[in-house]
Amino acid sequence: MSNTPRQRLPGDHPPDEEIARMLRVDHAGEYGATRIYEGQLDVLGRGRAAGAIRQMAETEKRHLDRFETLLRERRVRPTLLHPLWTATGYALGAATALMGERAAMACTVAVEEVIDEHYQRQAEQLGEEDPALRETILSFRADEIAHRDLAIAQGAEESLGYDLISAAVKTGSRLAIWLSTRL
Ligand SMILES: [Fe+2]
Ligand SMILES: [Fe+2]
């Protein structure tokens, strides 16, 4: 606990509620990520990129497990949109995979870039508030950056329609974050 709480403005959420919202959206994001990779693996499970995708899927599962534990420990409910992310995450992964391995990797780059920014912003918001959570977020952020780099190494940027995929997936991911924070 900090001795000098930072000043809060009228309308600011109390720290506990703010942190609950952070956990809720992070849990949703990691869940969505596991669904994206499941969708990709169902299409590309025997392809050249399968090893890389499986490796990323395993990290996302670990991230998800951590946030599941945190939600349980702190009695935070998951987002009401959880069932929606089951379908849309999977559909996003499968659809981009059907466009080819590079398109799937372009999807990964876009998602991971949005999550990188999102975790960075959360870490800044937390400041000194919850050092353990901040450390978790920063360590996961490093994993997401590694995923982005892996996807680039797998040829993401050579994908046909890279800019279009990137813009669409980023918009969708930001919308999902916005919604999961509020619902
Ligand atoms: Fe993750
Ligand atoms: Fe990731």
Side-chain angles (χ1 to χ4, degrees):
M1 275 295 202
S2 168
N3 293 326
T4 52
R6 71 190 161 90
Q7 209 186 331
R8 291 191 175 273
L9 300 169
D12 271 6
H13 290 278
D16 279 357
E17 193 187 323
E18 209 172 282
I19 288 175
R21 282 154 62 107
M22 285 185 184
L23 294 173
R24 183 172 300 130
V25 65
D26 293 352
H27 173 259
E30 296 297 352
Y31 175 67
T34 63
R35 292 297 292 163
I36 290 172
Y37 289 123
E38 275 169 45
Q40 290 188 352
L41 278 172
D42 279 353
V43 177
L44 299 171
R46 291 163 184 276
R48 187 183 54 90
I53 299 172
R54 214 160 269 129
Q55 186 187 325
M56 295 192 275
E58 274 162 25
T59 317
E60 305 303 358
K61 184 75 183 62
R62 180 167 58 77
H63 292 174
L64 176 62
D65 287 348
R66 181 79 195 112
F67 280 114
E68 255 163 22
T69 304
L70 285 168
L71 286 196
R72 212 176 317 116
E73 282 175 358
R74 300 184 188 202
R75 297 172 195 282
V76 174
R77 66 160 177 83
T79 171
L80 300 170
L81 298 174
H82 196 78
L84 183 61
W85 305 146
T86 308
T88 49
Y90 183 89
L92 177 61
T96 49
L98 284 167
M99 294 167 68
E101 282 174 349
R102 290 191 172 113
M105 293 299 151
C107 168
T108 295
V109 171
V111 169
E112 301 295 14
E113 281 181 359
V114 171
I115 298 184
D116 164 21
E117 289 165 14
H118 168 75
Y119 278 156
Q120 174 67 29
R121 196 170 317 123
Q122 277 195 345
E124 282 164 17
Q125 273 170 7
L126 276 173
E128 313 277 299
E129 204 96 62
D130 189 329
L133 178 59
R134 188 170 186 274
E135 206 165 297
T136 298
I137 286 170
L138 286 175
S139 131
F140 289 5
R141 175 178 175 245
D143 293 334
E144 313 302 5
I145 291 171
H147 290 170
R148 180 206 58 196
D149 292 345
L150 183 57
I152 290 173
Q154 294 280 326
E157 287 166 336
E158 286 96 68
S159 155
L160 214 62
Y162 177 81
D163 290 340
L164 204 65
I165 295 172
S166 177
V169 172
K170 281 186 176 185
T171 302
S173 303
R174 290 195 177 110
L175 180 63
I177 288 173
W178 192 87
L179 286 168
S180 300
T181 305
R182 284 157 184 84
L183 294 169

